[in-house]
Amino acid sequence: MPILDLLQANLGLALLIFGVLGLCVGSFLNVVIHRMPLMMMREWRRDCSQILSEQTDIPAELMTPINQIVAKDTPLTLSLPRSRCPNCNHQIKWYENIPLISWLMLRGKCSSCQQSISPRYPVVEIITALLSVLVIYKFGVSIQGFAALILVWTLVALTGIDFDTQLLPDRLTFPLAGLGLAVNAYSLFISPTAAIWGLLIGFFSLWIVVKVFYLITKKQGMGAGDFKLLAVLGAWLGPMMLPLIILLSSLLGSIIGLILMRKHGESKPFAFGPYIAIAGIIALLYGSEIMTWYLNMYI
């Protein structure tokens, strides 16, 4: 295709275009981060209401008010209803929703009620744009580059969702794991065999740790989503990258955990998935260089 040929021949232009594309994708990821947990919660409420209504030992009069509450949940998707200000319900116009530019033009405030708009929205857009540029710089305008973009964008969404809710939705991790196996069926990043073993080792390495920890302490030390996410990264990057990912995520998690303990004065549960995702992105972009540097230290 002429456009692809042009971008492959002009790296600067490609980085600019994919940087802008990253801003737009980051705007969409903000919607995913905000709405997907709400969509899941409403589905769970409906499912629980239906299951409980079918139980013969639960009086119908007890379920009636619950069913009435659940029935009032308005339909919610990633596209509908249109975005509104949570404070004044002002419907956001298209020109108020231009990635980064609108936030700067509005000076971080709603045009109607002047309520502050969280700076997290432009931060997610900028991070997604920067990561998109790094991916294209690393892999070029290629099938490998496009696949890496999908991985990184989804990891950004998972990071935001886990920070907010301590959830790593199966509707994101399962398709991402399957896509990792699919792209590596053609040895895009690793061999098909390495992808399969990476998925299995990634899942069971943390699963075993969690089970042993529970047997010893009778406490859940990590959610199931964390070892599903590590399985995803194993399917994409292979088993050889898993030690690096575990090491980097543990270091990041430990540092943030100590900061939170110092701030709150006690140990509290916190999301570990974001640090696995960040470590996975580092391994994708610079894992080979880090491994080579480490091994050369002992040669």
Side-chain angles (χ1 to χ4, degrees), residues 131 138 152 155 237 241 244-245 248-249 252 275-290:
L131 289 176
K138 172 73 175 182
V152 168
L155 290 176
L237 305 178
M241 283 296 174
L244 175 64
I245 294 171
L248 290 176
S249 60
L252 290 170
Y275 310 110
I276 297 176
I278 293 170
I281 293 173
I282 294 173
L284 170 71
L285 294 173
Y286 307 111
S288 298
E289 290 82 351
I290 294 173

PDB file of all heavy atoms in Angstrom, residues 131 138 152 155 237 241 244-245 248-249 252 275-290:
ATOM      1  N   LEU A 131       3.928   5.903  24.348  1.00  0.00           N
ATOM      2  CA  LEU A 131       4.176   4.474  24.181  1.00  0.00           C
ATOM      3  C   LEU A 131       3.984   4.051  22.728  1.00  0.00           C
ATOM      4  O   LEU A 131       4.724   3.192  22.224  1.00  0.00           O
ATOM      5  CB  LEU A 131       3.246   3.674  25.101  1.00  0.00           C
ATOM      6  CG  LEU A 131       3.550   3.763  26.596  1.00  0.00           C
ATOM      7  CD1 LEU A 131       2.492   3.017  27.400  1.00  0.00           C
ATOM      8  CD2 LEU A 131       4.937   3.197  26.906  1.00  0.00           C
ATOM      9  N   LYS A 138      10.555   1.189  17.807  1.00  0.00           N
ATOM     10  CA  LYS A 138      11.201  -0.096  18.061  1.00  0.00           C
ATOM     11  C   LYS A 138      10.938  -1.097  16.943  1.00  0.00           C
ATOM     12  O   LYS A 138      11.868  -1.755  16.457  1.00  0.00           O
ATOM     13  CB  LYS A 138      10.693  -0.656  19.392  1.00  0.00           C
ATOM     14  CG  LYS A 138      11.125  -2.081  19.716  1.00  0.00           C
ATOM     15  CD  LYS A 138      12.576  -2.177  20.090  1.00  0.00           C
ATOM     16  CE  LYS A 138      12.941  -3.585  20.525  1.00  0.00           C
ATOM     17  NZ  LYS A 138      14.342  -3.706  20.948  1.00  0.00           N
ATOM     18  N   VAL A 152       0.149  -3.077  23.899  1.00  0.00           N
ATOM     19  CA  VAL A 152       0.437  -1.945  24.783  1.00  0.00           C
ATOM     20  C   VAL A 152      -0.834  -1.175  25.118  1.00  0.00           C
ATOM     21  O   VAL A 152      -1.061  -0.801  26.285  1.00  0.00           O
ATOM     22  CB  VAL A 152       1.489  -1.023  24.129  1.00  0.00           C
ATOM     23  CG1 VAL A 152       1.585   0.299  24.881  1.00  0.00           C
ATOM     24  CG2 VAL A 152       2.845  -1.707  24.102  1.00  0.00           C
ATOM     25  N   LEU A 155      -2.800  -3.072  27.652  1.00  0.00           N
ATOM     26  CA  LEU A 155      -2.150  -3.022  28.957  1.00  0.00           C
ATOM     27  C   LEU A 155      -2.380  -1.681  29.644  1.00  0.00           C
ATOM     28  O   LEU A 155      -2.524  -1.619  30.871  1.00  0.00           O
ATOM     29  CB  LEU A 155      -0.647  -3.279  28.805  1.00  0.00           C
ATOM     30  CG  LEU A 155      -0.242  -4.711  28.430  1.00  0.00           C
ATOM     31  CD1 LEU A 155       1.270  -4.803  28.219  1.00  0.00           C
ATOM     32  CD2 LEU A 155      -0.684  -5.712  29.505  1.00  0.00           C
ATOM     33  N   LEU A 237       5.457 -12.811  24.969  1.00  0.00           N
ATOM     34  CA  LEU A 237       6.903 -12.594  25.040  1.00  0.00           C
ATOM     35  C   LEU A 237       7.696 -13.849  25.364  1.00  0.00           C
ATOM     36  O   LEU A 237       8.926 -13.824  25.276  1.00  0.00           O
ATOM     37  CB  LEU A 237       7.204 -11.506  26.083  1.00  0.00           C
ATOM     38  CG  LEU A 237       6.478 -10.164  25.867  1.00  0.00           C
ATOM     39  CD1 LEU A 237       6.823  -9.197  26.980  1.00  0.00           C
ATOM     40  CD2 LEU A 237       6.813  -9.573  24.505  1.00  0.00           C
ATOM     41  N   MET A 241      11.222 -14.241  29.211  1.00  0.00           N
ATOM     42  CA  MET A 241      11.015 -12.880  29.686  1.00  0.00           C
ATOM     43  C   MET A 241      10.284 -12.828  31.028  1.00  0.00           C
ATOM     44  O   MET A 241      10.249 -11.780  31.679  1.00  0.00           O
ATOM     45  CB  MET A 241      10.217 -12.076  28.650  1.00  0.00           C
ATOM     46  CG  MET A 241      11.025 -11.608  27.462  1.00  0.00           C
ATOM     47  SD  MET A 241      12.319 -10.444  27.942  1.00  0.00           S
ATOM     48  CE  MET A 241      13.166 -10.248  26.370  1.00  0.00           C
ATOM     49  N   LEU A 244      12.271 -11.620  34.183  1.00  0.00           N
ATOM     50  CA  LEU A 244      12.491 -10.174  34.151  1.00  0.00           C
ATOM     51  C   LEU A 244      11.215  -9.431  34.528  1.00  0.00           C
ATOM     52  O   LEU A 244      11.251  -8.463  35.307  1.00  0.00           O
ATOM     53  CB  LEU A 244      12.968  -9.744  32.762  1.00  0.00           C
ATOM     54  CG  LEU A 244      13.124  -8.236  32.537  1.00  0.00           C
ATOM     55  CD1 LEU A 244      14.203  -7.670  33.447  1.00  0.00           C
ATOM     56  CD2 LEU A 244      13.450  -7.944  31.070  1.00  0.00           C
ATOM     57  N   ILE A 245      10.082  -9.861  33.983  1.00  0.00           N
ATOM     58  CA  ILE A 245       8.805  -9.211  34.281  1.00  0.00           C
ATOM     59  C   ILE A 245       8.472  -9.337  35.761  1.00  0.00           C
ATOM     60  O   ILE A 245       8.051  -8.359  36.408  1.00  0.00           O
ATOM     61  CB  ILE A 245       7.684  -9.812  33.413  1.00  0.00           C
ATOM     62  CG1 ILE A 245       7.917  -9.483  31.934  1.00  0.00           C
ATOM     63  CG2 ILE A 245       6.313  -9.306  33.862  1.00  0.00           C
ATOM     64  CD1 ILE A 245       6.991 -10.217  30.984  1.00  0.00           C
ATOM     65  N   LEU A 248      10.931  -7.005  37.760  1.00  0.00           N
ATOM     66  CA  LEU A 248      10.613  -5.583  37.622  1.00  0.00           C
ATOM     67  C   LEU A 248       9.302  -5.227  38.328  1.00  0.00           C
ATOM     68  O   LEU A 248       9.213  -4.204  39.023  1.00  0.00           O
ATOM     69  CB  LEU A 248      10.524  -5.212  36.139  1.00  0.00           C
ATOM     70  CG  LEU A 248      11.835  -5.206  35.344  1.00  0.00           C
ATOM     71  CD1 LEU A 248      11.559  -4.930  33.880  1.00  0.00           C
ATOM     72  CD2 LEU A 248      12.803  -4.181  35.914  1.00  0.00           C
ATOM     73  N   SER A 249       8.286  -6.058  38.166  1.00  0.00           N
ATOM     74  CA  SER A 249       6.994  -5.772  38.798  1.00  0.00           C
ATOM     75  C   SER A 249       7.097  -5.844  40.316  1.00  0.00           C
ATOM     76  O   SER A 249       6.477  -5.047  41.030  1.00  0.00           O
ATOM     77  CB  SER A 249       5.923  -6.735  38.287  1.00  0.00           C
ATOM     78  OG  SER A 249       6.261  -8.083  38.577  1.00  0.00           O
ATOM     79  N   LEU A 252       8.847  -2.609  41.467  1.00  0.00           N
ATOM     80  CA  LEU A 252       7.922  -1.477  41.398  1.00  0.00           C
ATOM     81  C   LEU A 252       6.853  -1.576  42.478  1.00  0.00           C
ATOM     82  O   LEU A 252       6.547  -0.594  43.160  1.00  0.00           O
ATOM     83  CB  LEU A 252       7.259  -1.437  40.006  1.00  0.00           C
ATOM     84  CG  LEU A 252       8.153  -1.047  38.833  1.00  0.00           C
ATOM     85  CD1 LEU A 252       7.428  -1.285  37.514  1.00  0.00           C
ATOM     86  CD2 LEU A 252       8.570   0.402  38.943  1.00  0.00           C
ATOM     87  N   TYR A 275       1.741  -2.997  37.880  1.00  0.00           N
ATOM     88  CA  TYR A 275       3.195  -3.155  37.870  1.00  0.00           C
ATOM     89  C   TYR A 275       3.608  -4.316  36.971  1.00  0.00           C
ATOM     90  O   TYR A 275       4.675  -4.269  36.346  1.00  0.00           O
ATOM     91  CB  TYR A 275       3.688  -3.330  39.304  1.00  0.00           C
ATOM     92  CG  TYR A 275       3.129  -2.262  40.212  1.00  0.00           C
ATOM     93  CD1 TYR A 275       2.187  -2.576  41.181  1.00  0.00           C
ATOM     94  CD2 TYR A 275       3.485  -0.929  40.038  1.00  0.00           C
ATOM     95  CE1 TYR A 275       1.630  -1.596  41.978  1.00  0.00           C
ATOM     96  CE2 TYR A 275       2.935   0.063  40.830  1.00  0.00           C
ATOM     97  CZ  TYR A 275       2.003  -0.279  41.798  1.00  0.00           C
ATOM     98  OH  TYR A 275       1.437   0.703  42.566  1.00  0.00           O
ATOM     99  N   ILE A 276       2.760  -5.344  36.901  1.00  0.00           N
ATOM    100  CA  ILE A 276       3.005  -6.423  35.940  1.00  0.00           C
ATOM    101  C   ILE A 276       2.898  -5.872  34.513  1.00  0.00           C
ATOM    102  O   ILE A 276       3.712  -6.189  33.648  1.00  0.00           O
ATOM    103  CB  ILE A 276       2.007  -7.574  36.149  1.00  0.00           C
ATOM    104  CG1 ILE A 276       2.179  -8.196  37.536  1.00  0.00           C
ATOM    105  CG2 ILE A 276       2.192  -8.650  35.073  1.00  0.00           C
ATOM    106  CD1 ILE A 276       1.169  -9.286  37.849  1.00  0.00           C
ATOM    107  N   ALA A 277       1.877  -5.041  34.289  1.00  0.00           N
ATOM    108  CA  ALA A 277       1.677  -4.462  32.954  1.00  0.00           C
ATOM    109  C   ALA A 277       2.838  -3.550  32.569  1.00  0.00           C
ATOM    110  O   ALA A 277       3.350  -3.605  31.442  1.00  0.00           O
ATOM    111  CB  ALA A 277       0.360  -3.695  32.912  1.00  0.00           C
ATOM    112  N   ILE A 278       3.275  -2.699  33.507  1.00  0.00           N
ATOM    113  CA  ILE A 278       4.399  -1.792  33.227  1.00  0.00           C
ATOM    114  C   ILE A 278       5.659  -2.595  32.936  1.00  0.00           C
ATOM    115  O   ILE A 278       6.407  -2.296  31.992  1.00  0.00           O
ATOM    116  CB  ILE A 278       4.617  -0.835  34.416  1.00  0.00           C
ATOM    117  CG1 ILE A 278       3.428   0.118  34.544  1.00  0.00           C
ATOM    118  CG2 ILE A 278       5.905  -0.041  34.234  1.00  0.00           C
ATOM    119  CD1 ILE A 278       3.426   0.934  35.823  1.00  0.00           C
ATOM    120  N   ALA A 279       5.894  -3.630  33.746  1.00  0.00           N
ATOM    121  CA  ALA A 279       7.064  -4.487  33.525  1.00  0.00           C
ATOM    122  C   ALA A 279       6.970  -5.187  32.170  1.00  0.00           C
ATOM    123  O   ALA A 279       7.981  -5.364  31.482  1.00  0.00           O
ATOM    124  CB  ALA A 279       7.180  -5.512  34.650  1.00  0.00           C
ATOM    125  N   GLY A 280       5.751  -5.582  31.788  1.00  0.00           N
ATOM    126  CA  GLY A 280       5.559  -6.221  30.497  1.00  0.00           C
ATOM    127  C   GLY A 280       5.884  -5.286  29.342  1.00  0.00           C
ATOM    128  O   GLY A 280       6.483  -5.695  28.335  1.00  0.00           O
ATOM    129  N   ILE A 281       5.491  -4.018  29.461  1.00  0.00           N
ATOM    130  CA  ILE A 281       5.794  -3.039  28.415  1.00  0.00           C
ATOM    131  C   ILE A 281       7.303  -2.816  28.320  1.00  0.00           C
ATOM    132  O   ILE A 281       7.877  -2.728  27.213  1.00  0.00           O
ATOM    133  CB  ILE A 281       5.060  -1.712  28.692  1.00  0.00           C
ATOM    134  CG1 ILE A 281       3.547  -1.912  28.546  1.00  0.00           C
ATOM    135  CG2 ILE A 281       5.538  -0.623  27.738  1.00  0.00           C
ATOM    136  CD1 ILE A 281       2.720  -0.712  28.956  1.00  0.00           C
ATOM    137  N   ILE A 282       7.970  -2.725  29.478  1.00  0.00           N
ATOM    138  CA  ILE A 282       9.429  -2.575  29.476  1.00  0.00           C
ATOM    139  C   ILE A 282      10.089  -3.784  28.819  1.00  0.00           C
ATOM    140  O   ILE A 282      11.030  -3.645  28.021  1.00  0.00           O
ATOM    141  CB  ILE A 282       9.944  -2.393  30.920  1.00  0.00           C
ATOM    142  CG1 ILE A 282       9.432  -1.076  31.501  1.00  0.00           C
ATOM    143  CG2 ILE A 282      11.475  -2.433  30.956  1.00  0.00           C
ATOM    144  CD1 ILE A 282       9.748  -0.884  32.981  1.00  0.00           C
ATOM    145  N   ALA A 283       9.594  -4.984  29.145  1.00  0.00           N
ATOM    146  CA  ALA A 283      10.158  -6.203  28.554  1.00  0.00           C
ATOM    147  C   ALA A 283       9.922  -6.247  27.054  1.00  0.00           C
ATOM    148  O   ALA A 283      10.796  -6.693  26.289  1.00  0.00           O
ATOM    149  CB  ALA A 283       9.550  -7.433  29.225  1.00  0.00           C
ATOM    150  N   LEU A 284       8.755  -5.798  26.607  1.00  0.00           N
ATOM    151  CA  LEU A 284       8.458  -5.766  25.174  1.00  0.00           C
ATOM    152  C   LEU A 284       9.422  -4.850  24.434  1.00  0.00           C
ATOM    153  O   LEU A 284       9.961  -5.211  23.374  1.00  0.00           O
ATOM    154  CB  LEU A 284       7.012  -5.299  24.957  1.00  0.00           C
ATOM    155  CG  LEU A 284       6.604  -4.990  23.509  1.00  0.00           C
ATOM    156  CD1 LEU A 284       6.504  -6.284  22.704  1.00  0.00           C
ATOM    157  CD2 LEU A 284       5.271  -4.233  23.479  1.00  0.00           C
ATOM    158  N   LEU A 285       9.658  -3.668  24.996  1.00  0.00           N
ATOM    159  CA  LEU A 285      10.456  -2.659  24.301  1.00  0.00           C
ATOM    160  C   LEU A 285      11.960  -2.851  24.493  1.00  0.00           C
ATOM    161  O   LEU A 285      12.743  -2.653  23.548  1.00  0.00           O
ATOM    162  CB  LEU A 285      10.047  -1.263  24.780  1.00  0.00           C
ATOM    163  CG  LEU A 285       8.618  -0.817  24.439  1.00  0.00           C
ATOM    164  CD1 LEU A 285       8.301   0.507  25.122  1.00  0.00           C
ATOM    165  CD2 LEU A 285       8.432  -0.690  22.936  1.00  0.00           C
ATOM    166  N   TYR A 286      12.368  -3.232  25.713  1.00  0.00           N
ATOM    167  CA  TYR A 286      13.795  -3.244  26.021  1.00  0.00           C
ATOM    168  C   TYR A 286      14.257  -4.528  26.699  1.00  0.00           C
ATOM    169  O   TYR A 286      15.388  -4.578  27.202  1.00  0.00           O
ATOM    170  CB  TYR A 286      14.133  -2.049  26.936  1.00  0.00           C
ATOM    171  CG  TYR A 286      13.654  -0.731  26.392  1.00  0.00           C
ATOM    172  CD1 TYR A 286      12.621  -0.024  27.008  1.00  0.00           C
ATOM    173  CD2 TYR A 286      14.233  -0.187  25.243  1.00  0.00           C
ATOM    174  CE1 TYR A 286      12.176   1.189  26.503  1.00  0.00           C
ATOM    175  CE2 TYR A 286      13.798   1.031  24.732  1.00  0.00           C
ATOM    176  CZ  TYR A 286      12.763   1.711  25.367  1.00  0.00           C
ATOM    177  OH  TYR A 286      12.317   2.909  24.866  1.00  0.00           O
ATOM    178  N   GLY A 287      13.396  -5.554  26.713  1.00  0.00           N
ATOM    179  CA  GLY A 287      13.740  -6.785  27.417  1.00  0.00           C
ATOM    180  C   GLY A 287      15.016  -7.430  26.917  1.00  0.00           C
ATOM    181  O   GLY A 287      15.874  -7.844  27.710  1.00  0.00           O
ATOM    182  N   SER A 288      15.175  -7.520  25.606  1.00  0.00           N
ATOM    183  CA  SER A 288      16.378  -8.156  25.037  1.00  0.00           C
ATOM    184  C   SER A 288      17.633  -7.394  25.424  1.00  0.00           C
ATOM    185  O   SER A 288      18.654  -7.999  25.781  1.00  0.00           O
ATOM    186  CB  SER A 288      16.252  -8.238  23.515  1.00  0.00           C
ATOM    187  OG  SER A 288      15.146  -9.033  23.138  1.00  0.00           O
ATOM    188  N   GLU A 289      17.578  -6.063  25.379  1.00  0.00           N
ATOM    189  CA  GLU A 289      18.728  -5.252  25.745  1.00  0.00           C
ATOM    190  C   GLU A 289      19.071  -5.406  27.214  1.00  0.00           C
ATOM    191  O   GLU A 289      20.254  -5.491  27.590  1.00  0.00           O
ATOM    192  CB  GLU A 289      18.461  -3.776  25.418  1.00  0.00           C
ATOM    193  CG  GLU A 289      18.412  -3.450  23.936  1.00  0.00           C
ATOM    194  CD  GLU A 289      17.058  -3.752  23.299  1.00  0.00           C
ATOM    195  OE1 GLU A 289      16.215  -4.371  23.976  1.00  0.00           O
ATOM    196  OE2 GLU A 289      16.858  -3.378  22.133  1.00  0.00           O
ATOM    197  N   ILE A 290      18.031  -5.443  28.062  1.00  0.00           N
ATOM    198  CA  ILE A 290      18.270  -5.601  29.502  1.00  0.00           C
ATOM    199  C   ILE A 290      18.886  -6.959  29.797  1.00  0.00           C
ATOM    200  O   ILE A 290      19.842  -7.068  30.574  1.00  0.00           O
ATOM    201  CB  ILE A 290      16.944  -5.426  30.289  1.00  0.00           C
ATOM    202  CG1 ILE A 290      16.447  -3.988  30.162  1.00  0.00           C
ATOM    203  CG2 ILE A 290      17.137  -5.788  31.755  1.00  0.00           C
ATOM    204  CD1 ILE A 290      15.070  -3.754  30.768  1.00  0.00           C
TER     205      ILE A 290
END
